Amino acid sequence: MRRWLFPLAALAGLIALSLSLGAASFGEDAGWLLMVSRLPRTAAALLAGAGLALAGVVVQQVVQNRLVEPSLTGAPEAAMLGLLAVTLLAPGLAVAGKMLIAAGCALAGMAGYLALAARLPREDPMLLPIVGMVYGGILGAIGVWAAWSADLMQYLGAWRLGEFSGVMQGRYEWLWAIAALAGLLYVIADRITILGLGEAQARSLGLDYAQTRALGLVVVSVITALVLVTVGAFPFVGLVAPNLVARWRGDNLRANLPLIALGGGALLLAADVIGRLIRYPFEIPAATVIAVFGAGVFLWLLHAAPGRRHG
Amino acid sequence: MAERRVLWLALALLALCAAFLAWQLRAPMGFILGLRAAKLGALVCVGAATGAATILFQTVASNRLLTPGLVGFDALFILLQTLLVLALGGVGLAQLPASLRFGMEVIALAAASTALFGLLLRRDARDVTRMILTGIILGVMLRGLAEMVQRLMDPSDFAVVQQAMFASFGRVEPQQLAVSAVVLLAALAAALRMAPALDVAALGRSTARGLGLDHDRLVLVTLLLMAAMVSVSTALVGPITFLGLLTASLARQLTGSHRHAILLPAAAMIGALILVAGQFVFERLMGSQSALAVIVELFGGLLFLALVLKRRRR
């Protein structure tokens, strides 16, 4: 239990820092400021980070590769394409409808990636993230082209670079659905772990492989769509948090899921806080901060010796 | 045989350039011709620089899937450009003569890239996919860093950086174009003079060393030349990741040659052909301005996937 003490204290400190930080100073309407702006922003960063980290674990188990994460599967780009289509064809659609369509497109995008991945040789694990990146780039290029011809580049810009400066009460509540999805993942954690053993092994252990995989991917696409529509895309969160936790605590997914969620949330919140601190009172998008930090961790994972494995 | 194909390429490029200049030319002719010539010059320079640089990089890295853009070479350029503005200030930089500034940029880029990619090439030369992945992630990181530095700048300094990064085909300064063209021609000539040595280097480091080639020195010189070429194209129009890959593959397919004396000019001309033809189609026939880079990215990306999947079958 003492091992938890330090991370939780660090998280509490981070939350306090995030709540006290902003261009407006606390005056007599401090409670109002806190409720309308600071708390929603902090919660949004925590929820989005937790969701992306959990989605990262699921994707890594499905493709059996630790160097992959949702943003390297074309899912966010596919969701953006869906959102563009909605904006063009049915601009009046309710947010729930937009979310659904974005999630469906993310799922389709990921299915395309899995089809590609199945054709790649297993011996070369690093091909998977490379192909994912190029595949996402292709979908992104289509999106840019469509947005350019339809004069929607500003929409696209808002989704491509995730940040929290626009988060206020009433603008982020959809992210709480991530908490429900996290609960669902916790229930099926053992099955997701078995997914990571590969299809043949999983079947011989009596798992309905196709169904479990489909369920996992649906959760990933819904999380991707939720985060994308409310705050935008963030790279590397789904890669860094699960890998760091696995190096520290080993591979017991059920035990690790809460830690991974907390880690992802803390990571994104820290990125947001750093982005707000570097040149106070101006802001740097959290996605930019996390891109630099996450890329550093990725390079380290790529070149460092494999970590110790616990049981 | 291959020589003749290079000749045909040259003729095709000339014809296309003439068409680009003369298509529906109306009064005031001199004015329009001047504008078009500047744009054409930029397209040809960028295409040629990207094509030749990619062939050089693929030879040095012994890998046909690589392009300087894919491994973050142009991100490095943008970061350096940004840091330069941060250090000197927008006004200070604007007061430097164009050629001096360009020289400084190329030298800084060459030094940084030699340190970075030289290290990469030496350590991971055999583990090709790890090297590509490292390069790509490095690119993401450098882009993020550049963006961060840009956010810290004064708006006026930022405007200078932005102009340096996105001076699009539509608005090329003749002075900048002239400097770029001179640098590019010098780099191309130097690369052509090294062609026989590059042919040997393409056999791989150990074989090349066995044949008496000073491989490490060659890699260093090649990286310097690449730095010059990439900075030309990035300074003129900004990054186009997959153009190089597209160009280099087409050059190899079309000439069927392994000789750099053939490959380098062929790739340079194909790069120019793709850009001029693309711009012609999009701007004159379809009336849309900025789609070219996106389309090149699209087809280049598809080609990359096809190459990866094909590699497996062999």
Side-chain angles (χ1 to χ4, degrees):
Chain A
M1 214 52 220
R2 282 183 60 195
R3 293 184 109 175
W4 283 77
L5 214 60
F6 175 68
L8 283 180
L11 185 65
L14 210 54
I15 291 174
L17 191 57
S18 170
L19 289 179
S20 65
L21 205 62
S25 49
F26 289 118
E28 36 201 83
D29 44 6
W32 176 82
L33 181 65
L34 210 59
M35 287 313 293
V36 170
S37 166
R38 301 285 167 79
L39 268 178
R41 181 167 190 163
T42 307
L46 283 173
L47 285 168
L52 291 173
L54 292 175
V57 179
V58 176
V59 170
Q60 283 165 20
Q61 297 288 328
V62 167
V63 300
Q64 296 179 270
N65 189 321
R66 280 177 190 276
L67 295 178
V68 176
E69 64 133 10
S71 77
L72 302 182
T73 63
E77 286 85 1
M80 275 182 224
L81 279 176
L83 286 172
L84 276 177
V86 171
T87 314
L88 284 175
L89 302 176
L93 199 66
V95 182
K98 284 184 185 163
M99 294 273 186
L100 263 182
I101 289 177
C105 290
L107 194 60
M110 244 183 322
Y113 173 71
L114 291 180
L116 265 178
R119 292 159 155 266
L120 292 173
R122 283 259 161 239
E123 320 70 87
D124 207 346
M126 286 162 207
L127 267 181
L128 277 173
I130 295 177
V131 166
M133 220 170 270
V134 174
Y135 173 70
I138 293 174
L139 292 180
I142 297 175
V144 170
W145 189 44
W148 181 272
S149 6
D151 234 348
L152 287 175
M153 283 303 278
Q154 281 184 318
Y155 275 83
L156 206 64
W159 293 322
R160 283 169 108 192
L161 199 63
E163 50 132 9
F164 297 99
S165 64
V167 173
M168 292 224 262
Q169 197 178 42
R171 292 276 305 275
Y172 83 104
E173 278 74 2
W174 278 95
L175 287 178
W176 284 102
I178 287 175
L181 288 170
L184 172 67
L185 276 184
Y186 193 69
V187 172
I188 62 167
D190 292 335
R191 288 195 238 168
I192 301 280
T193 309
I194 297 176
L195 269 189
L197 298 173
E199 183 164 4
Q201 283 245 32
R203 277 185 197 285
S204 71
L205 286 171
L207 184 79
D208 187 339
Y209 182 81
Q211 194 196 39
T212 313
R213 195 173 82 151
L215 188 61
L217 291 180
V218 167
V219 170
V220 173
S221 356
V222 172
I223 291 179
T224 303
L226 283 170
V227 174
L228 188 76
V229 173
T230 42
V231 286
F234 298 91
F236 294 128
V237 180
L239 183 104
V240 169
N243 271 297
L244 291 185
V245 170
R247 272 172 181 260
W248 177 39
R249 303 260 311 202
D251 280 334
N252 183 346
L253 198 55
R254 184 186 285 276
N256 283 355
L257 271 184
L259 257 182
I260 291 171
L262 273 185
L267 196 66
L268 204 46
L269 186 60
D272 186 43
V273 168
I274 291 170
R276 277 187 276 170
L277 277 177
I278 290 183
R279 189 159 198 197
Y280 182 84
F282 303 108
E283 293 189 9
I284 294 173
T288 306
V289 178
I290 203 90
V292 174
F293 172 75
V297 175
F298 197 143
L299 288 178
W300 171 66
L301 288 172
L302 204 56
H303 290 276
R308 287 176 298 142
R309 295 280 162 82
H310 300 257
Chain B
M1 186 58 206
E3 279 88 346
R4 217 161 67 208
R5 289 200 181 152
V6 175
L7 202 65
W8 279 117
L9 270 178
L11 285 177
L13 183 59
L14 278 179
L16 191 65
C17 288
F20 188 88
L21 286 176
W23 177 263
Q24 289 185 343
L25 191 61
R26 296 193 199 93
M29 275 197 219
F31 178 69
I32 293 181
L33 263 183
L35 280 184
R36 286 189 182 177
K39 192 180 271 186
L40 180 70
L43 288 166
V44 170
C45 275
V46 170
T50 313
T54 306
I55 293 279
L56 288 180
F57 194 46
Q58 291 184 345
T59 296
V60 174
S62 344
N63 185 339
R64 301 262 171 96
L65 286 177
L66 283 179
T67 90
L70 195 62
V71 298
F73 215 94
D74 44 12
L76 189 62
F77 177 81
I78 291 174
L79 180 61
L80 281 173
Q81 184 84 253
T82 312
L83 290 176
L84 207 62
V85 176
L86 191 71
L88 296 179
V91 183
L93 199 62
Q95 281 166 347
L96 289 179
S99 48
L100 180 66
R101 175 178 166 184
F102 201 87
M104 274 172 66
E105 282 166 7
V106 170
I107 289 168
L109 179 66
S113 60
T114 311
L116 214 61
F117 296 100
L119 205 74
L120 205 70
L121 287 175
R122 195 150 315 159
R123 242 190 79 196
D124 279 332
R126 268 161 301 160
D127 196 346
V128 172
T129 33
R130 184 193 299 244
M131 196 184 107
I132 304 180
L133 193 56
T134 306
I136 294 178
I137 300 294
L138 222 51
V140 174
M141 193 175 191
L142 294 172
R143 255 172 278 249
L145 273 175
E147 203 170 294
M148 230 188 237
V149 176
Q150 284 160 19
R151 296 255 173 179
L152 298 180
M153 287 178 161
D154 288 334
S156 58
D157 285 355
F158 177 67
V160 175
V161 176
Q162 207 169 26
Q163 213 190 358
M165 284 187 317
F166 301 111
S168 68
F169 289 116
R171 224 189 25 213
V172 180
E173 287 169 43
Q175 199 194 6
Q176 200 188 4
L177 181 63
V179 176
S180 304
V182 170
V183 172
L184 174 65
L185 279 178
L188 271 177
L192 274 179
R193 265 195 59 197
M194 283 167 52
L198 286 168
D199 292 345
V200 178
L203 299 173
R205 183 161 185 262
S206 53
T207 315
R209 281 166 63 95
L211 289 169
L213 184 77
D214 187 350
H215 191 268
D216 294 345
R217 199 178 142 259
L218 183 87
V219 168
L220 187 76
V221 176
T222 311
L223 279 175
L224 284 173
L225 289 179
M226 269 171 57
M229 291 176 184
V230 173
S231 47
V232 165
S233 68
T234 316
L236 279 177
V237 296
I240 308 180
T241 312
F242 283 115
L243 175 65
L245 186 74
L246 210 58
T247 309
S249 311
L250 280 174
R252 289 183 202 281
Q253 287 283 325
L254 223 67
T255 61
S257 170
H258 293 285
R259 288 173 47 211
H260 284 78
I262 301 283
L263 278 177
L264 283 170
M269 279 188 285
I270 290 173
L273 263 173
I274 292 180
L275 284 187
V276 178
Q279 188 75 11
F280 187 74
V281 169
F282 276 105
E283 190 182 305
R284 301 289 150 71
L285 305 183
M286 288 168 62
S288 139
Q289 276 283 340
S290 181
L292 174 62
V294 177
I295 297 294
V296 169
E297 292 296 86
L298 192 64
F299 283 105
L302 287 174
L303 175 79
F304 181 88
L305 289 185
L307 285 175
V308 169
L309 291 174
K310 202 176 105 194
R311 228 159 69 104
R312 182 212 175 187
R313 259 179 257 134
R314 257 184 294 144

